[in-house]
Amino acid sequence: MNDTVRHDPGRAATGEMRDTRTRIQRVALDLFTERGYDKTSLREIAERLGVTKAALYYHFKSKEEIVESFLSDRLEEIDELIAWLRTQPRTPEVRREFILRYVETLHAGRYQPVMRFLESNQAVVKGMPIGLKLRERFQALVAALVDPAAPLTDQLRIAMGLWALHSSWFVLTAPEVTDEQRQEAALQVALELVSRPARSG
Amino acid sequence: MNDTVRHDPGRAATGEMRDTRTRIQRVALDLFTERGYDKTSLREIAERLGVTKAALYYHFKSKEEIVESFLSDRLEEIDELIAWLRTQPRTPEVRREFILRYVETLHAGRYQPVMRFLESNQAVVKGMPIGLKLRERFQALVAALVDPAAPLTDQLRIAMGLWALHSSWFVLTAPEVTDEQRQEAALQVALELVSRPARSG
DNA sequence: GTCTATACGATGATAGAC
DNA sequence: GTCTATCATCGTATAGAC
């Protein structure tokens, strides 16, 4: 699901073009996350791929569109999760099941780097149409997990549970800790946070 | 403590200069947080203040230095918190007391907008020397709150507790919720997260 | 001491040749 | 599908007005 072509222009399947497009996406995502979106010039990306700046403009009509190309995939995935959630009651059990499904989409689609990019470049993404949509979906996600009329603490706990899944890398910085350990810890903390039922006060 | 002059150049107390400098900081912090650091041009900031771009360069020798000017204040505050923490044992009680002190510095110094800026522009700040220092301090803070040899879940819970204090605004987006309600909920969730003692597994 | 005028190199983007 | 050439705008720098 993660590597599917989005809009298939004629003879694309032969390889050359899609390959370049995919390589641009990968290099861009890496650089955008490491050094930041604005500090990464198109010239850098082009040089790393052995082409010129203008060549990128054949595959993407703007720098912003490169970002859209990997964020929109994530958006779809989240929409599916919301759709499933809306067929379920808002119970701790469903929330735990949801967390498991959520991390599965994160790993299966290799979206962990995408979510890292999102966090690192919040302000940048917020100014893009795709960023607004993503914000909406995350709100919808939380609203589907917990009643918006519930106490704020309950809503916050659950939102932070989701958040923990993304930001464990940022928060657990010891060099001898592996990504797997981080993810395992994040999963456990997330499950704890969404399991707590609503309590008044 | 929040509005103190940092380096007092001669007859500064008369007002004119410090006023402009402070106004630049305020406008810049606002714009940087809303639209992002890189998307905010110095021309915009200057125009909003009714001066020219070059005037900003009299008060700050670079765009980055504007950011440093409000981040370094926060850095000092955190250093003091770390110093206090190191005189204390790493118990849930101390952590709760710490959380109360932490939110106090956040409100007394009006650092909530600064922390919001930090989160929104993570990638940008990471590339600055002051950003590296801040990262170090936050690691040191977590290490002073919980034994780095403790289970990862314990470390993550406590780090997320700190995080909740900053990001409640981002996560609780309902328009009818006031900032005070948000902060109160964040405080409660933070206290819960740091109160949990270490448990194996 | 506080600011304006002006210019420099690099950036994202566009147009048109091959 | 990729290139060269070109553009406005950006952060930065300096010279000089008051």
Side-chain angles (χ1 to χ4, degrees):
Chain A
M1 155 141 337
N2 51 326
D3 265 338
T4 330
V5 189
R6 189 142 295 276
H7 54 315
D8 197 352
R11 46 161 274 266
T14 40
E16 180 70 17
M17 168 192 162
R18 253 212 62 71
D19 224 283
T20 302
R21 205 186 129 95
T22 307
R23 280 169 65 224
I24 293 173
Q25 284 178 318
R26 266 203 256 277
V27 169
L29 178 55
D30 277 2
L31 291 176
F32 289 168
T33 306
E34 282 168 37
R35 333 188 172 167
Y37 174 80
D38 287 287
K39 293 269 173 299
T40 304
S41 69
L42 292 177
R43 187 183 46 73
E44 267 180 299
I45 299 173
E47 269 174 12
R48 214 189 245 215
L49 292 168
V51 296
T52 63
K53 206 174 59 162
L56 304 184
Y57 276 90
Y58 172 76
H59 296 280
F60 300 94
K61 69 173 197 282
S62 73
K63 190 182 182 184
E64 191 171 315
E65 217 201 59
I66 305 179
V67 171
E68 277 177 45
S69 76
F70 46 72
L71 287 193
S72 63
D73 287 357
R74 184 63 187 148
L75 193 86
E76 273 182 35
E77 207 93 40
I78 291 173
D79 277 340
E80 288 174 25
L81 285 168
I82 294 175
W84 173 78
L85 262 184
R86 289 191 171 147
T87 69
Q88 305 289 327
R90 289 188 271 222
T91 64
E93 292 74 29
V94 168
R95 289 197 286 268
R96 278 195 294 270
E97 166 69 15
F98 167 79
I99 289 291
L100 294 174
R101 289 179 180 231
Y102 188 87
V103 305
E104 201 190 349
T105 69
L106 220 47
H107 296 148
R110 306 236 181 84
Y111 284 128
Q112 204 106 44
V114 174
M115 297 310 292
R116 257 187 71 175
F117 162 83
L118 249 184
E119 285 183 61
S120 298
N121 297 278
Q122 270 186 48
V124 172
V125 174
K126 201 168 65 173
M128 304 179 182
I130 185 84
L132 275 180
K133 279 193 199 167
L134 266 169
R135 275 178 99 86
E136 286 169 12
R137 302 317 151 99
F138 273 106
Q139 288 178 234
L141 210 48
V142 175
L145 282 165
V146 56
D147 189 342
L152 279 185
T153 49
D154 292 338
Q155 297 183 50
L156 183 56
R157 249 191 305 265
I158 282 157
M160 292 302 293
L162 252 183
W163 210 243
L165 259 18
H166 304 138
S167 41
S168 59
W169 68 271
F170 175 78
V171 121
L172 300 174
T173 46
E176 73 277 10
V177 177
T178 68
D179 277 352
E180 285 77 23
Q181 291 174 308
R182 250 182 281 269
Q183 284 158 16
E184 205 184 300
L187 178 57
Q188 188 179 324
V189 171
L191 287 173
E192 287 172 12
L193 279 164
V194 302
S195 293
R196 196 95 45 104
R199 21 181 97 163
S200 53
Chain B
M1 156 139 343
N2 52 325
D3 265 337
T4 329
V5 188
R6 189 141 295 276
H7 52 313
D8 198 353
R11 49 161 275 265
T14 39
E16 179 72 17
M17 170 193 160
R18 253 210 62 70
D19 224 283
T20 303
R21 206 186 127 95
T22 307
R23 280 169 66 226
I24 294 172
Q25 285 178 317
R26 266 203 256 279
V27 169
L29 178 56
D30 277 3
L31 290 177
F32 289 168
T33 305
E34 281 167 38
R35 326 186 178 168
Y37 173 80
D38 287 287
K39 292 269 173 299
T40 304
S41 70
L42 293 177
R43 187 182 46 73
E44 269 180 298
I45 298 173
E47 269 174 12
R48 212 189 248 217
L49 292 167
V51 296
T52 63
K53 206 175 56 160
L56 305 185
Y57 274 87
Y58 172 74
H59 296 280
F60 301 92
K61 71 172 196 285
S62 73
K63 190 181 183 185
E64 190 171 317
E65 217 200 61
I66 304 179
V67 171
E68 277 177 47
S69 76
F70 45 72
L71 288 194
S72 64
D73 288 356
R74 184 62 188 149
L75 192 86
E76 271 182 36
E77 206 94 39
I78 291 174
D79 276 341
E80 289 174 25
L81 285 169
I82 293 176
W84 173 77
L85 262 184
R86 289 193 170 145
T87 69
Q88 304 289 326
R90 288 188 271 222
T91 64
E93 291 74 28
V94 168
R95 289 196 287 265
R96 277 195 294 269
E97 167 69 15
F98 166 80
I99 289 291
L100 294 174
R101 288 177 181 232
Y102 188 88
V103 306
E104 201 190 349
T105 68
L106 220 47
H107 296 149
R110 304 235 183 86
Y111 284 129
Q112 203 105 45
V114 174
M115 298 309 291
R116 257 187 71 174
F117 161 83
L118 250 184
E119 286 183 60
S120 297
N121 297 278
Q122 270 187 46
V124 172
V125 174
K126 201 170 62 173
M128 304 177 180
I130 184 85
L132 275 181
K133 279 194 200 168
L134 266 169
R135 277 176 97 85
E136 285 170 12
R137 302 316 152 100
F138 273 106
Q139 287 178 234
L141 209 48
V142 175
L145 282 166
V146 56
D147 189 342
L152 278 184
T153 50
D154 292 338
Q155 297 184 50
L156 183 56
R157 249 192 305 265
I158 283 158
M160 292 303 293
L162 252 183
W163 209 243
L165 260 18
H166 305 138
S167 40
S168 59
W169 67 271
F170 174 78
V171 120
L172 299 174
T173 48
E176 73 276 8
V177 177
T178 68
D179 277 351
E180 284 77 23
Q181 291 175 307
R182 251 183 280 269
Q183 285 158 17
E184 204 184 300
L187 178 56
Q188 188 179 324
V189 171
L191 287 173
E192 287 172 12
L193 279 164
V194 303
S195 294
R196 195 95 46 102
R199 18 181 100 164
S200 53

